Amino acid sequence: MKITSLILATLVGGFLASGGPVFAQGDVATYSKEAMDDLVGLLRKAGKEGYSMEARTTTMFGGWLPRGKGQGTETWIPMLVLRNLDPTKQYRIIVSGDNDTRDLDLKVLDPGGLTVAQDATVLRDAEISFRPTRQQDYTIYLRLFDSADNCVCIGAVLRRAVK
């Protein structure tokens, strides 16, 4: 519970510090909590499957994504570069949107721009697992494919040893 509160406070503080149009679009604390509440279920599931957060790395990320209209022209937005992933580990990336999210998509690209994993399910959260082929950087991209409005999306990066 403490970690959830700390993560939520950090994300809300970052949104508030950035200023901009967030205030005109509603209560960012409520939207962040909605996304985090949904993410908690994915975190528990991943934990039961042996995934955990790695110390001294970025394990949580988030963003304010523009409204998706379900037309297929929505922009993929780079969210986080994962540095020097270990090919002896399996990685799971999970992300959830607030209650206005209808369809959130997630993909990971290698340095050459090739998609190595993608979740394109029609859900308000997304989840992928992949094992790097070699030690290198990978970039996480999100796309709000369909939503009632702009959305707060919060994600996590977890890993486990390959069996």
Side-chain angles (χ1 to χ4, degrees):
M1 186 62 170
K2 287 182 182 178
I3 191 72
T4 301
S5 298
L6 177 61
I7 292 166
L8 184 58
T10 301
L11 289 169
V12 171
F15 286 127
L16 294 176
S18 68
V22 168
F23 300 108
Q25 296 173 337
D27 179 10
V28 71
T30 298
Y31 303 146
S32 298
K33 183 177 181 324
E34 290 170 357
M36 191 65 205
D37 286 348
D38 194 49
L39 189 68
V40 167
L42 294 174
L43 286 166
R44 285 190 178 124
K45 177 181 174 241
K48 288 177 184 175
E49 295 174 7
Y51 288 91
S52 62
M53 292 185 178
E54 187 174 4
R56 296 180 303 280
T57 64
T58 299
T59 56
M60 300 294 294
F61 62 94
W64 184 261
L65 300 183
R67 181 179 179 208
K69 297 179 181 176
Q71 298 174 346
T73 57
E74 292 73 21
T75 303
W76 284 97
I77 300 171
M79 296 300 296
L80 181 66
V81 175
L82 303 169
R83 301 277 181 208
N84 295 315
L85 293 191
D86 183 348
T88 67
K89 306 285 185 199
Q90 178 87 13
Y91 291 85
R92 173 148 318 154
I93 301 164
I94 54 179
V95 62
S96 295
D98 65 33
N99 290 350
D100 286 332
T101 304
R102 295 184 189 123
D103 184 0
L104 178 63
D105 294 333
L106 162 68
K107 68 180 178 180
V108 175
L109 275 62
D110 71 10
L114 296 174
T115 300
V116 296
Q118 183 169 348
D119 178 325
T121 58
V122 182
L123 299 170
R124 75 176 253 206
D125 52 39
E127 166 182 2
I128 58 171
S129 298
F130 76 101
R131 180 178 176 186
T133 56
R134 64 179 189 238
Q135 188 167 348
Q136 61 186 4
D137 298 347
Y138 293 85
T139 304
I140 297 172
Y141 285 81
L142 295 180
R143 172 176 72 174
L144 192 53
F145 186 81
D146 190 19
S147 61
D149 203 345
N150 300 329
C151 295
V152 171
C153 298
I154 299 174
V157 179
L158 306 129
R159 55 100 181 111
R160 72 175 181 193
V162 174
K163 296 179 181 180

